[in-house]
Amino acid sequence: MNHADIDRLVAIMARLRDPERGCEWDTAQTFATIAPYTIEEAYEVADAIDRMDMADLKDELGDLLLQVVFHARMAEEAGDFALADVVAAICDKMERRHPHIFGDAADGGHHLWEQIKADERNAKGAESALDGVAIGLPALLRAEKLQKRAAQTGFDWPDPSGARAKIDEELTEVEAAATEAEREEEIGDLLFAMVNWARKLGIDPETALRAANAKFERRFKAMEKADHQFSSRGLDEQEALWQRVKAGA
């Protein structure tokens, strides 16, 4: 790759956004309308990685890169920044966060990375250890990040047993809830507690749930394939088929 490749992509986006000669759809977009596509493309990258499909990964990374160029173009039109500024900012950040590689620090590692990030947040005027955890993250992932940030202040269970006991407590509160609003709140607390227990066990909850989703999808499709009348069967028959598929998985 050379600068011409990036310049070509930047020129394509500029043409698409041209108010007179551009694409009607592209010129109508804003940061807010494009954001969902950016998130979707990131997930499609993750999906290609899960499937180890390198050809698809190449395409999906291109789609994700296009999102970066799209946002940068809109920012340039508004006079805020351009793609070159985005690249310069991430270069500066990576060098700053790896002083043991690009600077004169004696050592590095995750502890130093987190401290540097905390210093950066403080420099931006952060008032809480939780500031900067993006609201737009998937709820499961955001819960884990909030818990990790809280743990850095010492607010954390010393071992997994405390987090496990909290699950029982929250489950009792779900069962005791008297209204739909209370049940919704307590279910949220229960899910938050489950994420915390997974974190204390050293398990990435987002990865674990993605695997569970994939397993359920695989087994359900196997049931449909094994019995083309599956949807018309009674629950007992469906459960029996589920157990057979599960045993063979």
Side-chain angles (χ1 to χ4, degrees):
M1 185 183 71
N2 53 48
H3 289 299
D5 297 312
I6 297 297
D7 291 344
R8 180 186 175 196
L9 181 56
V10 170
I12 289 171
M13 180 50 62
R15 176 62 187 275
L16 291 173
R17 288 280 298 178
D18 188 289
E20 296 181 359
R21 301 182 302 153
C23 169
E24 181 179 352
W25 185 89
D26 289 280
T27 55
Q29 301 312 305
T30 66
F31 293 112
T33 62
I34 288 297
Y37 296 100
T38 307
I39 295 170
E40 180 181 345
E41 295 300 349
Y43 276 112
E44 290 183 358
V45 166
D47 179 64
I49 293 171
D50 284 344
R51 294 182 284 104
M52 289 301 293
D53 187 332
M54 292 298 103
D56 200 23
L57 178 58
K58 178 190 69 175
D59 289 342
E60 297 301 345
L61 286 171
D63 290 343
L64 185 58
L65 176 60
L66 177 64
Q67 296 297 309
V68 176
V69 173
F70 206 140
H71 285 287
R73 177 60 194 179
M74 291 187 289
E76 184 175 5
E77 292 167 358
D80 295 320
F81 58 82
L83 181 63
D85 301 307
V86 175
V87 175
I90 189 59
C91 288
D92 291 343
K93 181 185 294 184
M94 294 306 292
E95 290 177 347
R96 184 172 64 250
R97 291 184 178 179
H98 294 84
H100 58 301
I101 303 296
F102 302 104
D104 55 5
D107 64 353
H110 184 70
H111 68 285
L112 186 59
W113 172 277
E114 291 298 334
Q115 182 58 53
I116 293 172
K117 287 174 64 178
D119 292 342
E120 291 172 353
R121 291 194 296 271
N122 291 334
K124 292 180 179 179
E127 298 179 353
S128 168
L130 304 183
D131 286 350
V133 180
I135 296 176
L137 289 172
L140 197 69
L141 179 58
R142 189 163 193 266
E144 182 188 24
K145 286 186 174 293
L146 288 170
Q147 292 166 6
K148 285 183 175 179
R149 287 282 189 87
Q152 291 172 10
T153 71
F155 188 69
D156 195 15
W157 300 108
D159 56 64
S161 63
R164 174 62 183 86
K166 189 66 175 176
I167 293 173
D168 290 334
E169 176 186 328
E170 297 298 349
L171 183 58
T172 299
E173 293 180 2
V174 170
E175 294 171 338
T179 67
E180 183 176 349
E182 288 179 1
R183 280 191 292 273
E184 180 178 338
E185 180 181 353
E186 298 302 342
I187 285 289
D189 290 345
L190 176 60
L191 291 171
F192 193 84
M194 287 293 298
V195 170
N196 209 15
W197 189 35
R199 181 181 63 85
K200 295 300 293 183
L201 293 174
I203 295 171
D204 178 2
E206 185 77 17
T207 300
L209 186 56
R210 283 171 61 88
N213 288 340
K215 180 168 61 177
F216 177 81
E217 183 178 19
R218 182 175 66 252
R219 289 174 176 176
F220 190 88
K221 289 180 176 179
M223 289 193 299
E224 292 178 312
K225 185 176 181 180
D227 184 352
H228 296 297
Q229 302 299 317
F230 174 77
S231 61
S232 64
R233 304 298 185 193
L235 182 57
D236 289 343
E237 292 176 294
Q238 290 179 334
E239 175 62 21
L241 182 55
W242 171 266
Q243 293 301 330
R244 289 202 298 273
V245 168
K246 182 179 177 180

